[in-house]
Amino acid sequence: MRKFLLNTVAVATLVTLSLTGAVQADSTAKVDNNIYLTSPEGEQLFRDAEISTDYLKLASYLESEHILTFCGPASIAGVMNSLDIERPQPPELYPWPLFTQVSIFTPENQKVKSYAMVEHEGLELPQLAQFFINLGAKAEFKHADDFDENWLRETITKTLADPNKRFVANYSRKPIGQIGGGHISPVAAYDADTDRVLVLDVARYKYPPVWLTIAELYGAMMDKDSTSNRARGAVIVSQ
């Protein structure tokens, strides 16, 4: 009986320590205090935004990623459809042309990264840019450790002001208090008064579009991609 009681106390102690550790870990986690477009504050920000030219075109074609690792393909398809670039004609949609999360995997893009590998680990920043180029767009990428917040703000505002350009962000969810890791989604609007950008999340089953300050987005971009061991960043796409 004494041995049983000692074992019981030991187990209880371990459980208590584990729970304490979990609470301590949770206490250091970033809280999700984000402003989402679906909230009254988010709606007001959209109405007040100085630059929102890209929103209607992007929102018209953006769709949820098919699987957890397809934020890149979903963003590519949505952005390409929003630009005046000739679309492919998928057999399953005949006779209607459209970029889809499957049709973007052309033979050229399969050489950059195969469908199976993107399923496994997603797209890295340079690969994301190359996919756009191989589909007929112009694209430039830049890692966040090669620019600062001022560059980010200036580039986003210039890009969003041009109807023929799109800004795609590669960032981490963790620094902004969301559940998950690395992510890719296009930016669709900017509010100068609050210095916030509207990120159209392609994981629509998880989060609606979110308003992030330039500082918040930059911090999320500075998170390293574990696959490339480089900071995340941005791709500027044009037709």
Side-chain angles (χ1 to χ4, degrees), residues 159-172:
T159 302
L160 295 185
D162 189 333
N164 298 318
K165 290 186 176 182
R166 302 288 182 267
F167 188 97
V168 182
N170 177 205
Y171 61 100
S172 173

Side-chain angles (χ1 to χ4, degrees), residues 161-221:
D162 189 333
N164 298 318
K165 290 186 176 182
R166 302 288 182 267
F167 188 97
V168 182
N170 177 205
Y171 61 100
S172 173
R173 291 189 182 279
K174 293 179 181 178
I176 59 174
Q178 293 183 337
I179 297 171
H183 196 51
I184 296 168
S185 283
V187 172
Y190 175 74
D191 178 64
D193 292 337
T194 59
D195 200 28
R196 290 182 182 274
V197 295
L198 180 64
V199 182
L200 299 184
D201 201 323
V202 295
R204 292 183 171 190
Y205 52 91
K206 291 180 71 174
Y207 295 103
V210 62
W211 286 100
L212 300 176
T213 65
I214 289 292
E216 288 170 339
L217 181 58
Y218 180 69
M221 286 177 163

Side-chain angles (χ1 to χ4, degrees), residues 20-186:
T20 301
V23 170
Q24 289 175 342
D26 287 343
S27 68
T28 62
K30 175 91 169 136
V31 177
D32 185 352
N33 290 321
N34 295 308
I35 301 173
Y36 292 99
L37 182 61
T38 48
S39 69
E41 188 177 359
E43 291 178 8
Q44 188 61 51
L45 278 171
F46 184 77
R47 286 191 287 269
D48 294 341
E50 284 76 11
I51 309 175
S52 57
T53 308
D54 287 357
Y55 176 80
L56 290 177
K57 288 187 177 180
L58 281 169
S60 296
Y61 292 105
L62 210 63
E63 56 186 58
S64 288
E65 57 188 12
H66 288 171
I67 53 177
L68 292 174
T69 53
F70 260 42
C71 52
S75 295
I76 293 169
V79 167
M80 291 298 294
N81 285 322
S82 76
L83 293 169
D84 187 18
I85 295 176
E86 185 178 358
R87 301 172 185 172
Q89 199 171 72
E92 66 273 19
L93 299 179
Y94 181 84
W96 310 109
L98 194 73
F99 287 99
T100 70
Q101 294 176 51
V102 175
S103 70
I104 66 163
F105 284 90
T106 60
E108 294 78 14
N109 280 340
Q110 288 275 16
K111 292 177 183 177
V112 176
K113 197 164 197 174
S114 69
Y115 187 100
M117 285 303 295
V118 177
E119 274 189 319
H120 178 64
E121 61 185 23
L123 285 169
E124 297 171 33
L125 190 64
Q127 296 165 345
L128 179 68
Q130 192 60 51
F131 264 58
F132 277 115
I133 293 170
N134 289 345
L135 292 171
K138 298 174 184 177
E140 299 178 357
F141 72 91
K142 199 164 187 175
H143 292 280
D145 49 11
D146 289 330
F147 60 79
D148 57 18
E149 289 181 23
N150 290 329
W151 181 93
L152 181 59
R153 181 182 298 103
E154 182 179 351
T155 302
I156 285 179
T157 53
K158 284 184 176 179
T159 302
L160 295 185
D162 189 333
N164 298 318
K165 290 186 176 182
R166 302 288 182 267
F167 188 97
V168 182
N170 177 205
Y171 61 100
S172 173
R173 291 189 182 279
K174 293 179 181 178
I176 59 174
Q178 293 183 337
I179 297 171
H183 196 51
I184 296 168
S185 283

